[in-house]
Amino acid sequence: MKLDVDIYLKTIRNKPGYDLRKRIVLAFVEFLGDREPAPVYVDAFRLHLLEKGYSECYATTAYYIVRSFLKKMGYTFEYPDTPEPPVPKNRPELSYEDVVKMIRCSKKLDERDRALLALSTTYGMRRVEMASLTIDNFDFEKGILSYRPAKKRKRVEKQHLIPGEIRGVLESYGFPRPLSVRTVSYVFHRICRLAGVDSDRGYGWHSVRRLLDRLLLSRLPEYVVNFYMGWESRSQFVMAEYYATAGSSWMEIDRMVFDKHPFLPIWGEVLGIKNHKRQ
């Protein structure tokens, strides 16, 4: 069966993340060569990307994009569980003081860069997730953000409330089109330069995510943080965590987090939004 990339690209041309999907599918076809598609080559491609220095997030996203591509091409494989990729050695987190500096310099940023900073510091979003967003992901009337997380094995749409501290920032940008992952990474380092924050090799949006995760874990139960951040369970007691989470809606989880959030008060202070009442 021939892998017709052109047909596949036509089916996704108007969907978010088109450039990313195109780049990954073309790279996979080149990697596959004359071999017949099989699950082992899909996972081998993921490991190939990791060996070339791509992030866990990028490699795992590529894995699921290739699976979707092959399904469109008529290959209905049974895939084994995706093995956990190795943890990169050089993935540091930023300090609390550094992230506060970045937020305080947000008035110097353009609307796009400010919106990306707001998403990262509020939700800990991954760069692939931020890159894929368009206005269709936002319902500002209801105050809800919806998107597909990059690394969850069950690709169920994730939803978040939009807190009042950053709502105006997100609305001002409007997310007219998806961005490239490279652009989103560039924005991080540009903000760091403006804020006077060192961002040597290994730092990126994940450095904000890891700090937010650690700070929230010091203030809230683990199951709340896992659900909010979109982590696979880190608890040995998976079923206990499941039942604990099942008793709370995603809106309740968000409200719990917002009340203990380390950075929303800083956004409120910088933008002049004080004593904001939650939905």
Side-chain angles (χ1 to χ4, degrees):
M1 189 182 299
K2 183 181 178 181
L3 294 177
D4 197 325
V5 176
D6 291 335
I7 290 178
Y8 171 72
L9 294 179
K10 287 179 181 178
T11 67
I12 65 167
R13 192 169 302 279
N14 296 320
K15 294 184 178 181
Y18 171 80
D19 290 339
L20 174 65
R21 290 170 182 267
K22 178 180 178 180
R23 184 165 61 251
I24 286 173
V25 166
L26 290 174
F28 173 72
V29 171
E30 181 181 357
F31 171 80
L32 186 65
D34 296 330
R35 295 173 293 191
E36 184 70 13
V40 64
Y41 296 128
V42 180
D43 195 54
F45 178 64
R46 181 182 66 85
L47 296 174
H48 168 72
L49 293 175
L50 289 170
E51 289 172 359
K52 290 186 68 175
Y54 287 94
S55 69
E56 294 176 34
C57 181
Y58 186 90
T60 305
T61 300
Y63 174 86
Y64 284 106
I65 287 174
V66 170
R67 280 180 51 165
S68 175
F69 164 60
L70 292 178
K71 185 176 180 180
K72 288 277 188 181
M73 295 293 99
Y75 291 93
T76 54
F77 298 123
E78 289 291 330
Y79 291 90
D81 288 341
T82 310
E84 293 293 332
V87 177
K89 295 179 180 179
N90 188 22
R91 282 306 185 92
E93 67 177 43
L94 290 170
S95 70
Y96 172 78
E97 292 74 19
D98 284 341
V99 175
V100 170
K101 285 181 183 178
M102 294 168 74
I103 297 173
R104 292 197 185 283
C105 87
S106 61
K107 288 190 174 182
K108 300 178 183 178
L109 307 176
D110 61 27
E111 292 179 341
R112 181 196 65 186
D113 293 5
R114 191 182 303 119
L116 293 177
L117 179 62
L119 290 170
S120 174
T121 54
T122 300
Y123 305 115
M125 290 182 72
R126 302 173 176 94
R127 60 178 184 167
V128 173
E129 294 165 347
M130 293 192 288
S132 69
L133 295 177
T134 69
I135 190 61
D136 293 335
N137 294 101
F138 296 86
D139 186 333
F140 288 112
E141 185 175 338
K142 294 181 179 178
I144 294 175
L145 163 63
S146 306
Y147 65 98
R148 292 194 178 277
K151 294 186 70 173
K152 296 290 282 185
R153 293 179 185 176
K154 294 182 178 179
R155 307 276 286 168
V156 178
E157 187 174 68
K158 186 169 180 59
Q159 292 181 302
H160 278 301
L161 294 174
I162 301 174
E165 290 89 342
I166 66 165
R167 181 169 179 165
V169 171
L170 303 182
E171 281 187 295
S172 294
Y173 174 47
F175 296 85
R177 66 186 66 82
L179 302 170
S180 71
V181 174
R182 180 173 295 182
T183 295
V184 174
S185 295
Y186 173 76
V187 167
F188 170 82
H189 292 286
R190 180 164 60 187
I191 294 173
C192 286
R193 287 195 298 272
L194 286 172
V197 171
D198 291 332
S199 58
D200 295 331
R201 183 176 177 83
Y203 283 91
W205 290 114
H206 57 270
S207 304
V208 179
R209 177 177 173 82
R210 292 188 176 200
L211 172 65
L212 178 60
D213 178 63
R214 181 172 60 79
L215 294 176
L216 290 178
L217 282 172
S218 71
R219 304 174 181 203
L220 291 160
E222 184 177 352
Y223 79 87
V224 172
V225 180
N226 284 359
F227 190 87
Y228 180 80
M229 298 291 292
W231 294 116
E232 296 288 356
S233 175
R234 290 169 291 200
S235 173
Q236 293 180 343
F237 305 99
V238 176
M239 290 309 295
E241 180 181 35
Y242 169 78
Y243 287 118
T245 307
S248 304
S249 73
W250 63 268
M251 288 186 177
E252 291 171 335
I253 294 289
D254 274 12
R255 292 187 185 106
M256 292 170 66
V257 172
F258 292 168
D259 285 342
K260 300 289 186 180
H261 203 289
F263 301 126
L264 285 180
I266 309 300
W267 278 106
E269 178 187 334
V270 169
L271 300 177
I273 303 172
K274 296 182 180 180
N275 299 322
H276 176 75
K277 292 183 179 181
R278 302 289 170 215
Q279 296 178 352

